[in-house]
Amino acid sequence: VSTICIMENLGKFLFNTHINTPSILFGLFTLCVSLLFIKKLSRKEVIILIIPNVYYFFDIIASCITKYAQSDENIWFYNWVLLLELLLYFFVFKSLFQSIKIKRIINIVIVVFTITHVINILFGQGSHIFCTFTLIPAHVAAVIFAYLHMKLTIDDINIVPIKQFSFWFSIASFISISTSIPVLSIINSLNENNQELADKIFILNDIAYCCWYALIIAGLIWTKKLTKI
């Protein structure tokens, strides 16, 4: 009986956190594909894959806060989590660049973003609305670093870009974050004035998020399976 109860509870948990939220389901697929190719991954590729898998686990926690903690608001959680997630982005991109100048710029971005975002949460916009004053510039910086990495990879005559998983990751990040920025920029205003419209527009962010995962999965399969045939 206890086993049946555990399975029923697990089924409800998976349905509530995954089936109802496609982006989390895509996160699970990414985790599975990552584990499938784990033995073929280089150290740099493992570091890159930390990002989507961290996003996946934090999204599960955010979903649980909404569904099980009797709270309709998880923005406070994302304001703090996005600090960690964007810092992971910056550290990963720092590892991908050869240029000392770009690495120094990323270091400056890391320090400035960390300090200003914590101040913004504690003394500025607060934790219960999306901290656009600091998160939007950080997202823009992530887009710029993704673009620079794509460009440098394409310009390198010794590299076939589509055979580099880091290139796929940069494409996925560039498309996803670029799409999300306009939505996230206006989400506070929409939440305050038109919640129904805000929910509809935020679907664009969810679609971009799913595409991010899908491109990462495609990059893994292409670079670790199809190119080996």
Side-chain angles (χ1 to χ4, degrees), residues 31-90:
L31 174 61
C32 292
V33 175
S34 301
L35 293 175
L36 181 64
F37 293 113
I38 189 69
K39 293 183 178 180
K40 296 183 179 181
L41 298 174
S42 66
R43 180 176 177 274
K44 182 169 69 176
E45 290 166 340
V46 170
I47 292 173
I48 291 173
L49 284 169
I50 289 174
I51 293 180
N53 288 304
V54 165
Y55 270 53
Y56 166 60
F57 285 112
F58 279 140
D59 281 343
I60 291 177
I61 296 173
S63 181
C64 290
I65 290 173
T66 301
K67 298 182 187 301
Y68 299 112
Q70 297 182 341
S71 172
D72 294 328
E73 183 183 308
N74 56 24
I75 293 179
W76 65 269
F77 177 76
Y78 275 114
N79 275 326
W80 285 108
V81 162
L82 280 169
L83 171 62
L84 173 60
E85 292 177 341
L86 285 165
L87 288 178
L88 278 174
Y89 250 112
F90 296 145

Side-chain angles (χ1 to χ4, degrees), residues 4-21 63-64 67-68:
I4 294 175
C5 290
I6 292 173
M7 294 303 294
E8 287 179 353
N9 290 332
L10 179 60
K12 290 179 181 178
F13 172 79
L14 290 174
F15 182 83
N16 288 330
T17 58
H18 289 69
I19 305 302
N20 283 342
T21 311
S63 181
C64 290
K67 298 182 187 301
Y68 299 112

Side-chain angles (χ1 to χ4, degrees), residues 62 73-86 113-114 117-118 120-122 125-136 139 187-188:
E73 183 183 308
N74 56 24
I75 293 179
W76 65 269
F77 177 76
Y78 275 114
N79 275 326
W80 285 108
V81 162
L82 280 169
L83 171 62
L84 173 60
E85 292 177 341
L86 285 165
F113 170 57
T114 302
H117 186 60
V118 171
N120 192 24
I121 292 176
L122 297 178
Q125 289 181 285
S127 62
H128 294 287
I129 65 171
F130 192 72
C131 289
T132 53
F133 293 168
T134 45
L135 289 175
I136 296 304
H139 279 76
I187 199 64
N188 287 336

